Amino acid sequence: MGAVANAIDNKLRTRFAPTRLNIEDESSRHRGHSGYREGGESHFRVEIVSAAFEGKNRVARQRLVYEALKDELAAGLHALALTTLTPGEDK
């Protein structure tokens, strides 16, 4: 796991205490597209399951994740594909 993926992992675990967290670097699939950088760590798919999302709609959940990762986004993290679930929604 690279530095950006580690930062994402650490921040999301600290902020949301997830019961499940999967982080996948999809940067290689975006070669030649906007935001791609050599060496990857520009495009990620994140699946996170947390009780912190209870009572919140999809947009509110995603805003919480973007807020937690604002420094990474400002530093060049180009894209996040997010799946945000509560433990009861995780199948």
Side-chain angles (χ1 to χ4, degrees):
M1 197 180 297
V4 176
N6 278 329
I8 292 170
D9 185 85
N10 290 336
K11 287 185 177 186
L12 294 182
R13 287 187 192 281
T14 299
R15 170 66 178 82
F16 299 105
T19 57
R20 185 168 63 83
L21 177 61
N22 295 320
I23 301 168
E24 181 182 353
D25 185 350
E26 294 187 331
S27 301
S28 64
R29 298 180 190 163
H30 297 273
R31 185 177 300 263
H33 297 157
S34 176
Y36 174 80
R37 64 176 172 246
E38 201 60 45
E41 295 210 297
S42 59
H43 296 72
F44 286 90
R45 176 169 302 281
V46 174
E47 296 178 1
I48 182 171
V49 179
S50 173
F53 300 138
E54 294 284 352
K56 294 175 176 55
N57 66 28
R58 181 181 57 85
V59 173
R61 295 171 185 190
Q62 291 182 353
R63 284 182 178 151
L64 289 172
V65 173
Y66 283 123
E67 175 62 26
L69 300 178
K70 65 182 176 185
D71 293 340
E72 287 70 25
L73 289 160
L77 173 57
H78 181 72
L80 282 173
L82 295 174
T83 300
T84 54
L85 303 171
T86 65
E89 296 168 335
D90 191 27
K91 299 179 184 191

mmCIF file of all heavy atoms in Angstrom, residues 20-48:
data_model
loop_
_atom_site.group_PDB
_atom_site.id
_atom_site.type_symbol
_atom_site.label_atom_id
_atom_site.label_comp_id
_atom_site.label_asym_id
_atom_site.label_seq_id
_atom_site.Cartn_x
_atom_site.Cartn_y
_atom_site.Cartn_z
ATOM 1 N N ARG A 20 -15.822 -2.618 8.246
ATOM 2 C CA ARG A 20 -15.168 -3.104 7.028
ATOM 3 C C ARG A 20 -14.669 -1.907 6.246
ATOM 4 O O ARG A 20 -15.363 -0.905 6.126
ATOM 5 C CB ARG A 20 -16.143 -3.913 6.171
ATOM 6 C CG ARG A 20 -15.494 -4.560 4.952
ATOM 7 C CD ARG A 20 -16.406 -5.588 4.292
ATOM 8 N NE ARG A 20 -17.620 -5.043 3.759
ATOM 9 C CZ ARG A 20 -17.728 -4.462 2.554
ATOM 10 N NH1 ARG A 20 -16.676 -4.320 1.773
ATOM 11 N NH2 ARG A 20 -18.895 -3.998 2.135
ATOM 12 N N LEU A 21 -13.442 -2.016 5.727
ATOM 13 C CA LEU A 21 -12.851 -0.959 4.911
ATOM 14 C C LEU A 21 -11.995 -1.601 3.832
ATOM 15 O O LEU A 21 -11.061 -2.340 4.132
ATOM 16 C CB LEU A 21 -11.998 -0.023 5.773
ATOM 17 C CG LEU A 21 -11.257 1.095 5.048
ATOM 18 C CD1 LEU A 21 -12.221 2.029 4.331
ATOM 19 C CD2 LEU A 21 -10.384 1.869 6.026
ATOM 20 N N ASN A 22 -12.343 -1.336 2.588
ATOM 21 C CA ASN A 22 -11.562 -1.803 1.447
ATOM 22 C C ASN A 22 -11.135 -0.594 0.631
ATOM 23 O O ASN A 22 -11.973 0.254 0.295
ATOM 24 C CB ASN A 22 -12.378 -2.747 0.556
ATOM 25 C CG ASN A 22 -12.741 -4.028 1.251
ATOM 26 O OD1 ASN A 22 -11.940 -4.600 1.984
ATOM 27 N ND2 ASN A 22 -13.957 -4.486 1.053
ATOM 28 N N ILE A 23 -9.859 -0.538 0.327
ATOM 29 C CA ILE A 23 -9.313 0.562 -0.456
ATOM 30 C C ILE A 23 -8.578 -0.047 -1.642
ATOM 31 O O ILE A 23 -7.668 -0.856 -1.458
ATOM 32 C CB ILE A 23 -8.342 1.422 0.382
ATOM 33 C CG1 ILE A 23 -9.076 1.989 1.600
ATOM 34 C CG2 ILE A 23 -7.727 2.518 -0.470
ATOM 35 C CD1 ILE A 23 -8.170 2.607 2.630
ATOM 36 N N GLU A 24 -8.976 0.354 -2.838
ATOM 37 C CA GLU A 24 -8.360 -0.175 -4.052
ATOM 38 C C GLU A 24 -7.846 0.981 -4.900
ATOM 39 O O GLU A 24 -8.595 1.907 -5.224
ATOM 40 C CB GLU A 24 -9.379 -0.978 -4.855
ATOM 41 C CG GLU A 24 -8.822 -1.571 -6.115
ATOM 42 C CD GLU A 24 -9.860 -2.328 -6.933
ATOM 43 O OE1 GLU A 24 -10.999 -2.502 -6.466
ATOM 44 O OE2 GLU A 24 -9.520 -2.724 -8.060
ATOM 45 N N ASP A 25 -6.570 0.931 -5.245
ATOM 46 C CA ASP A 25 -5.973 1.926 -6.133
ATOM 47 C C ASP A 25 -6.325 1.544 -7.566
ATOM 48 O O ASP A 25 -5.858 0.531 -8.083
ATOM 49 C CB ASP A 25 -4.456 1.968 -5.944
ATOM 50 C CG ASP A 25 -3.776 3.062 -6.752
ATOM 51 O OD1 ASP A 25 -4.431 3.688 -7.608
ATOM 52 O OD2 ASP A 25 -2.572 3.280 -6.514
ATOM 53 N N GLU A 26 -7.182 2.333 -8.195
ATOM 54 C CA GLU A 26 -7.623 2.078 -9.566
ATOM 55 C C GLU A 26 -6.916 2.977 -10.569
ATOM 56 O O GLU A 26 -7.350 3.093 -11.716
ATOM 57 C CB GLU A 26 -9.134 2.288 -9.678
ATOM 58 C CG GLU A 26 -9.955 1.313 -8.892
ATOM 59 C CD GLU A 26 -11.436 1.450 -9.149
ATOM 60 O OE1 GLU A 26 -11.901 2.569 -9.465
ATOM 61 O OE2 GLU A 26 -12.134 0.428 -9.048
ATOM 62 N N SER A 27 -5.842 3.596 -10.168
ATOM 63 C CA SER A 27 -5.164 4.575 -11.016
ATOM 64 C C SER A 27 -4.742 4.006 -12.360
ATOM 65 O O SER A 27 -4.854 4.692 -13.388
ATOM 66 C CB SER A 27 -3.940 5.135 -10.290
ATOM 67 O OG SER A 27 -4.328 5.739 -9.078
ATOM 68 N N SER A 28 -4.280 2.764 -12.384
ATOM 69 C CA SER A 28 -3.803 2.185 -13.648
ATOM 70 C C SER A 28 -4.911 2.099 -14.692
ATOM 71 O O SER A 28 -4.636 2.114 -15.894
ATOM 72 C CB SER A 28 -3.198 0.800 -13.406
ATOM 73 O OG SER A 28 -4.192 -0.091 -12.928
ATOM 74 N N ARG A 29 -6.159 2.052 -14.266
ATOM 75 C CA ARG A 29 -7.297 2.012 -15.196
ATOM 76 C C ARG A 29 -7.585 3.376 -15.813
ATOM 77 O O ARG A 29 -8.405 3.488 -16.715
ATOM 78 C CB ARG A 29 -8.547 1.526 -14.471
ATOM 79 C CG ARG A 29 -8.422 0.132 -13.930
ATOM 80 C CD ARG A 29 -9.678 -0.278 -13.226
ATOM 81 N NE ARG A 29 -9.451 -1.527 -12.516
ATOM 82 C CZ ARG A 29 -10.222 -1.978 -11.561
ATOM 83 N NH1 ARG A 29 -11.284 -1.303 -11.192
ATOM 84 N NH2 ARG A 29 -9.940 -3.114 -10.968
ATOM 85 N N HIS A 30 -6.931 4.421 -15.305
ATOM 86 C CA HIS A 30 -7.209 5.784 -15.758
ATOM 87 C C HIS A 30 -6.031 6.406 -16.497
ATOM 88 O O HIS A 30 -5.998 7.627 -16.678
ATOM 89 C CB HIS A 30 -7.611 6.639 -14.556
ATOM 90 C CG HIS A 30 -8.863 6.157 -13.914
ATOM 91 N ND1 HIS A 30 -10.111 6.557 -14.331
ATOM 92 C CD2 HIS A 30 -9.070 5.279 -12.902
ATOM 93 C CE1 HIS A 30 -11.030 5.956 -13.600
ATOM 94 N NE2 HIS A 30 -10.430 5.169 -12.732
ATOM 95 N N ARG A 31 -5.100 5.582 -16.924
ATOM 96 C CA ARG A 31 -3.946 6.076 -17.681
ATOM 97 C C ARG A 31 -4.441 6.864 -18.890
ATOM 98 O O ARG A 31 -5.321 6.421 -19.607
ATOM 99 C CB ARG A 31 -3.074 4.911 -18.131
ATOM 100 C CG ARG A 31 -1.785 5.325 -18.814
ATOM 101 C CD ARG A 31 -0.952 4.110 -19.154
ATOM 102 N NE ARG A 31 -0.615 3.372 -17.931
ATOM 103 C CZ ARG A 31 0.539 3.498 -17.281
ATOM 104 N NH1 ARG A 31 1.461 4.298 -17.736
ATOM 105 N NH2 ARG A 31 0.760 2.808 -16.189
ATOM 106 N N GLY A 32 -3.920 8.058 -19.053
ATOM 107 C CA GLY A 32 -4.311 8.910 -20.165
ATOM 108 C C GLY A 32 -5.509 9.802 -19.869
ATOM 109 O O GLY A 32 -5.857 10.662 -20.669
ATOM 110 N N HIS A 33 -6.141 9.619 -18.728
ATOM 111 C CA HIS A 33 -7.289 10.440 -18.343
ATOM 112 C C HIS A 33 -6.848 11.570 -17.428
ATOM 113 O O HIS A 33 -5.761 11.537 -16.858
ATOM 114 C CB HIS A 33 -8.351 9.604 -17.627
ATOM 115 C CG HIS A 33 -8.936 8.532 -18.462
ATOM 116 N ND1 HIS A 33 -9.521 7.417 -17.930
ATOM 117 C CD2 HIS A 33 -9.036 8.389 -19.804
ATOM 118 C CE1 HIS A 33 -9.942 6.630 -18.897
ATOM 119 N NE2 HIS A 33 -9.664 7.196 -20.035
ATOM 120 N N SER A 34 -7.730 12.511 -17.240
ATOM 121 C CA SER A 34 -7.462 13.643 -16.362
ATOM 122 C C SER A 34 -7.120 13.166 -14.955
ATOM 123 O O SER A 34 -7.756 12.271 -14.422
ATOM 124 C CB SER A 34 -8.702 14.538 -16.319
ATOM 125 O OG SER A 34 -8.508 15.593 -15.420
ATOM 126 N N GLY A 35 -6.106 13.787 -14.390
ATOM 127 C CA GLY A 35 -5.741 13.493 -13.014
ATOM 128 C C GLY A 35 -4.804 12.328 -12.839
ATOM 129 O O GLY A 35 -4.258 12.135 -11.755
ATOM 130 N N TYR A 36 -4.584 11.533 -13.882
ATOM 131 C CA TYR A 36 -3.683 10.389 -13.762
ATOM 132 C C TYR A 36 -2.261 10.899 -13.557
ATOM 133 O O TYR A 36 -1.839 11.877 -14.160
ATOM 134 C CB TYR A 36 -3.721 9.509 -15.019
ATOM 135 C CG TYR A 36 -2.685 8.412 -14.980
ATOM 136 C CD1 TYR A 36 -2.916 7.256 -14.261
ATOM 137 C CD2 TYR A 36 -1.462 8.562 -15.620
ATOM 138 C CE1 TYR A 36 -1.958 6.253 -14.187
ATOM 139 C CE2 TYR A 36 -0.504 7.566 -15.557
ATOM 140 C CZ TYR A 36 -0.747 6.420 -14.839
ATOM 141 O OH TYR A 36 0.203 5.435 -14.761
ATOM 142 N N ARG A 37 -1.532 10.224 -12.694
ATOM 143 C CA ARG A 37 -0.114 10.538 -12.544
ATOM 144 C C ARG A 37 0.681 9.243 -12.525
ATOM 145 O O ARG A 37 0.203 8.230 -11.994
ATOM 146 C CB ARG A 37 0.144 11.402 -11.315
ATOM 147 C CG ARG A 37 -0.175 10.768 -10.005
ATOM 148 C CD ARG A 37 0.220 11.702 -8.842
ATOM 149 N NE ARG A 37 -0.263 11.151 -7.614
ATOM 150 C CZ ARG A 37 -1.199 11.689 -6.858
ATOM 151 N NH1 ARG A 37 -1.752 12.817 -7.203
ATOM 152 N NH2 ARG A 37 -1.583 11.101 -5.745
ATOM 153 N N GLU A 38 1.848 9.296 -13.075
ATOM 154 C CA GLU A 38 2.724 8.131 -13.104
ATOM 155 C C GLU A 38 3.002 7.687 -11.675
ATOM 156 O O GLU A 38 3.239 8.497 -10.799
ATOM 157 C CB GLU A 38 4.035 8.483 -13.818
ATOM 158 C CG GLU A 38 4.778 7.286 -14.343
ATOM 159 C CD GLU A 38 4.003 6.465 -15.359
ATOM 160 O OE1 GLU A 38 3.387 7.044 -16.268
ATOM 161 O OE2 GLU A 38 4.006 5.224 -15.232
ATOM 162 N N GLY A 39 2.925 6.408 -11.430
ATOM 163 C CA GLY A 39 3.135 5.875 -10.092
ATOM 164 C C GLY A 39 1.839 5.633 -9.344
ATOM 165 O O GLY A 39 1.835 5.064 -8.266
ATOM 166 N N GLY A 40 0.715 6.067 -9.925
ATOM 167 C CA GLY A 40 -0.589 5.779 -9.332
ATOM 168 C C GLY A 40 -0.960 6.666 -8.168
ATOM 169 O O GLY A 40 -0.463 7.777 -8.026
ATOM 170 N N GLU A 41 -1.841 6.146 -7.351
ATOM 171 C CA GLU A 41 -2.372 6.808 -6.170
ATOM 172 C C GLU A 41 -3.084 8.123 -6.489
ATOM 173 O O GLU A 41 -3.009 9.090 -5.757
ATOM 174 C CB GLU A 41 -1.285 7.012 -5.116
ATOM 175 C CG GLU A 41 -0.769 5.683 -4.568
ATOM 176 C CD GLU A 41 -0.315 5.799 -3.146
ATOM 177 O OE1 GLU A 41 0.642 6.545 -2.889
ATOM 178 O OE2 GLU A 41 -0.940 5.145 -2.299
ATOM 179 N N SER A 42 -3.809 8.126 -7.607
ATOM 180 C CA SER A 42 -4.609 9.296 -7.972
ATOM 181 C C SER A 42 -6.101 8.982 -8.021
ATOM 182 O O SER A 42 -6.924 9.881 -7.890
ATOM 183 C CB SER A 42 -4.160 9.840 -9.334
ATOM 184 O OG SER A 42 -4.291 8.843 -10.336
ATOM 185 N N HIS A 43 -6.450 7.709 -8.214
ATOM 186 C CA HIS A 43 -7.846 7.273 -8.330
ATOM 187 C C HIS A 43 -8.058 6.059 -7.424
ATOM 188 O O HIS A 43 -7.368 5.048 -7.586
ATOM 189 C CB HIS A 43 -8.164 6.847 -9.767
ATOM 190 C CG HIS A 43 -8.064 7.947 -10.771
ATOM 191 N ND1 HIS A 43 -6.857 8.486 -11.173
ATOM 192 C CD2 HIS A 43 -9.020 8.587 -11.474
ATOM 193 C CE1 HIS A 43 -7.085 9.416 -12.078
ATOM 194 N NE2 HIS A 43 -8.392 9.504 -12.281
ATOM 195 N N PHE A 44 -9.022 6.162 -6.508
ATOM 196 C CA PHE A 44 -9.268 5.072 -5.565
ATOM 197 C C PHE A 44 -10.744 4.700 -5.521
ATOM 198 O O PHE A 44 -11.615 5.547 -5.703
ATOM 199 C CB PHE A 44 -8.843 5.472 -4.142
ATOM 200 C CG PHE A 44 -7.362 5.502 -3.937
ATOM 201 C CD1 PHE A 44 -6.642 6.659 -4.164
ATOM 202 C CD2 PHE A 44 -6.686 4.369 -3.518
ATOM 203 C CE1 PHE A 44 -5.271 6.693 -3.967
ATOM 204 C CE2 PHE A 44 -5.313 4.384 -3.326
ATOM 205 C CZ PHE A 44 -4.606 5.555 -3.555
ATOM 206 N N ARG A 45 -10.984 3.436 -5.239
ATOM 207 C CA ARG A 45 -12.319 2.931 -4.915
ATOM 208 C C ARG A 45 -12.281 2.567 -3.436
ATOM 209 O O ARG A 45 -11.413 1.818 -2.997
ATOM 210 C CB ARG A 45 -12.672 1.707 -5.746
ATOM 211 C CG ARG A 45 -14.032 1.100 -5.360
ATOM 212 C CD ARG A 45 -14.481 0.055 -6.358
ATOM 213 N NE ARG A 45 -14.576 0.578 -7.704
ATOM 214 C CZ ARG A 45 -15.588 1.323 -8.178
ATOM 215 N NH1 ARG A 45 -16.593 1.629 -7.390
ATOM 216 N NH2 ARG A 45 -15.581 1.755 -9.418
ATOM 217 N N VAL A 46 -13.227 3.123 -2.669
ATOM 218 C CA VAL A 46 -13.283 2.900 -1.227
ATOM 219 C C VAL A 46 -14.661 2.355 -0.872
ATOM 220 O O VAL A 46 -15.684 2.932 -1.249
ATOM 221 C CB VAL A 46 -13.022 4.215 -0.452
ATOM 222 C CG1 VAL A 46 -13.239 4.009 1.039
ATOM 223 C CG2 VAL A 46 -11.615 4.730 -0.718
ATOM 224 N N GLU A 47 -14.668 1.250 -0.159
ATOM 225 C CA GLU A 47 -15.891 0.694 0.415
ATOM 226 C C GLU A 47 -15.716 0.747 1.922
ATOM 227 O O GLU A 47 -14.761 0.190 2.456
ATOM 228 C CB GLU A 47 -16.104 -0.752 -0.033
ATOM 229 C CG GLU A 47 -16.328 -0.902 -1.517
ATOM 230 C CD GLU A 47 -16.477 -2.353 -1.936
ATOM 231 O OE1 GLU A 47 -16.419 -3.247 -1.069
ATOM 232 O OE2 GLU A 47 -16.635 -2.587 -3.129
ATOM 233 N N ILE A 48 -16.642 1.437 2.582
ATOM 234 C CA ILE A 48 -16.537 1.597 4.028
ATOM 235 C C ILE A 48 -17.891 1.330 4.677
ATOM 236 O O ILE A 48 -18.920 1.814 4.205
ATOM 237 C CB ILE A 48 -15.988 2.998 4.400
ATOM 238 C CG1 ILE A 48 -15.844 3.146 5.906
ATOM 239 C CG2 ILE A 48 -16.794 4.112 3.769
ATOM 240 C CD1 ILE A 48 -15.102 4.406 6.345
#
